[in-house]
Amino acid sequence: MPDRLPPGQRAVRGWPVLHEGPVPRFDPARWRLRVWGAVSREVELDWPAFQALPRVERTRDWHCVTTWSRLDVRWGGVALRPLLDRAGPRPEARHALVHAFDALGYTASLPLADLLHPDNLLATHHDGEPLPPEHGGPVRLVVHHLYAWKSVKWVWGVEVLDRPARGYWEERGYHDRGDPWAEERTHR
Ligand SMILES: Nc1nc2c(c(=O)[nH]1)N[C@H]1C(S)=C(S)[C@@H](COP(=O)(O)O)O[C@H]1N2
Ligand SMILES: [Mo]
């Protein structure tokens, strides 16, 4: 299936675990999903409110910048787009920083337009099973169309910005957008 593999990628069968730092403990009593920054209305949802949102499934290919790709990954969870629409990004908003609740405070930055892609998920399930903690459970972002470092595990926050900012890997030389088909691996 070479037409499904972006340049420099190879398909793997298993599911590599890849992240910086230790897997954090999830506390459902303290977790909140927040959308804030350059928005008209901040969104804040606790775990029960998040769990009550409509659920969707998406099966898509997924590409890590370290050259592995997974084909037909089946994710389940909550569509991100309606939550961003609810927050109402202000006209000047162009960028976003997505935050994890791990000890590292991992973040990924991306153009707001890419975060608004209707396929993006706050994934809680994989192949119909709850997402394991090492893969970002109970909830991670999935942005299928960008390199996987943008798909923040253990997500809690989306910060909408009217100016560019850089996340964990972007600060370390990785690309601000990260389109695998354009091989946007690092900054020029
Ligand atoms: N919080 C957090 N999310 C993260 C990372 C990380 O280090 N911390 N690594 C990213 C990278 S580089 C990849 S390839 C994917 C890997 O997800 P997986 O371990 O479920 O395959 O998670 C992304 N999300
Ligand atoms: Mo990655």
Side-chain angles (χ1 to χ4, degrees):
M1 273 166 276
D3 52 330
R4 288 178 63 176
L5 285 174
Q9 297 295 117
R10 66 195 162 81
V12 293
R13 283 200 182 282
W15 190 4
V17 171
L18 205 55
H19 57 256
E20 300 279 289
V23 174
R25 199 179 64 87
F26 172 69
D27 180 352
R30 302 196 58 183
W31 182 87
R32 297 288 182 279
L33 178 71
R34 289 190 62 209
V35 183
W36 80 99
V39 297
S40 316
R41 296 165 296 276
E42 288 194 4
V43 169
E44 186 173 314
L45 296 174
D46 63 10
W47 186 244
F50 176 72
Q51 297 249 278
L53 294 171
R55 311 197 52 81
V56 294
E57 273 209 4
R58 307 253 189 274
T59 301
R60 297 285 183 280
D61 299 344
W62 199 44
H63 312 288
C64 170
V65 71
T66 62
T67 75
W68 54 263
S69 293
R70 298 187 68 219
L71 302 182
D72 294 320
V73 193
R74 192 177 141 223
W75 302 102
V78 168
L80 176 65
R81 178 65 194 254
L83 295 171
L84 294 173
D85 288 345
R86 203 194 284 192
R90 293 201 216 108
E92 66 275 18
R94 292 285 179 279
H95 311 273
L97 203 50
V98 181
H99 296 258
F101 59 80
D102 53 13
L104 208 77
Y106 184 89
T107 51
S109 55
L110 63 170
L112 181 61
D114 288 297
L115 200 61
L116 286 167
H117 194 296
D119 285 356
N120 296 342
L121 285 183
L122 294 170
T124 56
H125 287 70
H126 172 268
D127 271 344
E129 300 290 333
L131 199 57
E134 67 272 23
H135 286 298
V139 57
R140 78 176 299 162
L141 175 67
V142 180
V143 177
H144 322 269
H145 74 286
L146 299 180
Y147 282 124
W149 87 78
K150 307 284 181 179
S151 293
V152 174
K153 301 182 185 187
W154 318 296
V155 70
W156 69 270
V158 176
E159 187 178 359
V160 177
L161 297 164
D162 56 12
R163 61 194 151 75
R166 280 180 173 163
Y168 184 86
W169 283 120
E170 294 81 10
E171 263 178 6
R172 289 162 176 78
Y174 283 80
H175 202 276
D176 290 323
R177 178 153 190 256
D179 175 0
W181 293 96
E183 282 208 89
E184 292 174 341
R185 299 176 190 273
T186 55
H187 303 302
R188 286 297 111 89

